[in-house]
Amino acid sequence: MQRREFIQSCAALAALPAFLKRHTDLAIGFQTWVVREPLAEDFAGTLAEMAAMGYETLEMCSPVGYGQYGFGPLANLSAREMKSIIADQGLTCMSSHYTPVELRDDIQARIAFAQELGLSQMVLSSPGLNANNSMDEWKRAIDEMNAWGQVITEAGLTFGYHNHNFEFDRVDGTLIYDILLEGLDAEVVKMQFQVWVVSLGYQAADYFRAYPGRFVSAHLADWSGTAQERTPIGGGVVDWPDFFAAGDSGGLRNIYVEMAPEYLSDSAAYLRSLR
């Protein structure tokens, strides 16, 4: 190795800890879907347990849209009451999932809920379509999402789209996720990346680098590399330091662990270790 190359390599290694710190200082969050049953029974107590694990922020699911999926009892709380309980446990909440039905029925009411709760982001959990739908149906859905995004952006909030695995199927030979990235207006619809698609061979970091500024948040999961076997964050195949480094250019503002309850504590501990 030439002397100049050696010096450059040493300098790069010396800077690595600071680099990792800069790219892993996002608040450690969880998606409430994974603890929806205990959350509905004891909202404050469940949040306190999550905070004790090291979680600092959470992503809600709209009690109106998710009433039939276990969040119904939380609809008895006003957004102001919910915000107060969250704060009392030392947590913050900046994002919530919404269904297409509730945005279609009364988007202004859902925006009002978000503003009273103190959110900065509203995320569409699913378009209500899949790989069996036609290209025309996907394009109509994209037009609708762009319209929602315009209204939400004008209200001072960020609108996002959350993917599942089916967006990595194809319609007319084209990857659905690519159709979305091309058709959704980047100015009014950001993306929330579901890292679990690593099990299909797709890396979040690749998309963060290819589409800078398009991503507002991510749902974190890790994969053992075998079948559909999950592991706590840091125990699988995902290169997390690379994920965070790429996420910086991708525009990442929030991260939410979305794994079964038995993985939540170890996942939070690993994310803290990156700091």
Side-chain angles (χ1 to χ4, degrees):
M1 182 182 293
Q2 296 295 319
R3 180 175 182 275
R4 180 179 298 175
E5 293 174 338
F6 176 76
I7 292 173
Q8 290 173 338
S9 296
C10 290
L13 288 172
L16 185 58
F19 174 83
L20 290 179
K21 173 65 171 71
R22 188 166 69 250
H23 292 279
T24 57
D25 60 1
L26 296 173
I28 299 171
F30 68 96
Q31 222 298 332
T32 51
W33 174 264
V34 298
V35 289
R36 60 193 179 278
E37 293 178 359
L39 205 70
E41 294 176 3
D42 183 359
F43 189 57
T46 303
L47 293 180
E49 291 178 6
M50 298 302 294
M53 291 182 196
Y55 288 97
E56 300 159 328
T57 190
L58 60 103
E59 182 176 54
M60 274 299 301
C61 290
S62 166
V64 171
Y66 284 78
Q68 62 180 316
Y69 303 113
F71 287 86
L74 298 183
N76 296 321
L77 296 172
S78 70
R80 191 178 301 276
E81 290 171 327
M82 189 175 290
K83 180 180 180 180
S84 177
I85 294 171
I86 291 169
D88 286 345
Q89 309 313 316
L91 297 166
T92 63
C93 181
M94 292 172 280
S95 179
S96 179
H97 271 201
Y98 292 82
T99 67
V101 173
E102 60 183 320
L103 294 183
R104 198 173 290 130
D105 287 349
D106 196 345
I107 191 170
Q108 292 299 337
R110 309 327 306 144
I111 289 173
F113 171 83
Q115 291 173 329
E116 189 175 0
L117 187 54
L119 304 183
S120 57
Q121 299 155 26
M122 297 175 63
V123 178
L124 180 68
S125 58
S126 171
L129 302 177
N130 55 46
N132 294 322
N133 290 95
S134 68
M135 181 71 78
D136 285 344
E137 288 172 309
W138 273 101
K139 287 182 177 178
R140 283 195 293 271
I142 286 170
D143 289 341
E144 185 175 41
M145 287 186 276
N146 283 334
W148 290 336
Q150 186 66 44
V151 173
I152 290 169
T153 300
E154 290 174 356
L157 301 165
T158 298
F159 183 50
Y161 178 95
H162 171 78
N163 69 276
H164 296 80
N165 281 14
F166 63 78
E167 286 91 346
F168 292 82
D169 287 330
R170 295 178 182 273
V171 170
D172 294 346
T174 302
L175 203 69
I176 295 172
Y177 203 68
D178 290 343
I179 297 169
L180 291 165
L181 286 168
E182 180 179 350
L184 291 173
D185 183 345
E187 296 299 316
V188 297
V189 186
K190 300 300 182 183
M191 310 300 282
Q192 180 181 78
F193 200 88
Q194 172 56 272
V195 178
W196 179 243
V197 297
V198 66
S199 63
L200 302 177
Y202 298 94
Q203 296 280 352
D206 293 339
Y207 279 92
F208 293 162
R209 291 191 175 97
Y211 297 92
R214 290 294 299 271
F215 299 87
V216 68
S217 58
H219 279 195
L220 309 192
D222 215 335
W223 180 45
S224 70
T226 302
Q228 295 296 300
E229 181 182 320
R230 299 176 184 248
T231 73
I233 305 298
V237 302
V238 177
D239 183 340
W240 291 106
D242 187 53
F243 167 91
F244 285 108
D248 190 56
S249 63
L252 206 61
R253 291 184 231 163
N254 302 106
I255 53 170
Y256 302 107
V257 174
E258 188 181 37
M259 302 199 73
E262 61 266 28
Y263 300 135
L264 292 174
S265 181
D266 287 345
S267 294
Y270 174 76
L271 292 170
R272 289 198 309 273
S273 77
L274 291 182
R275 293 175 172 175

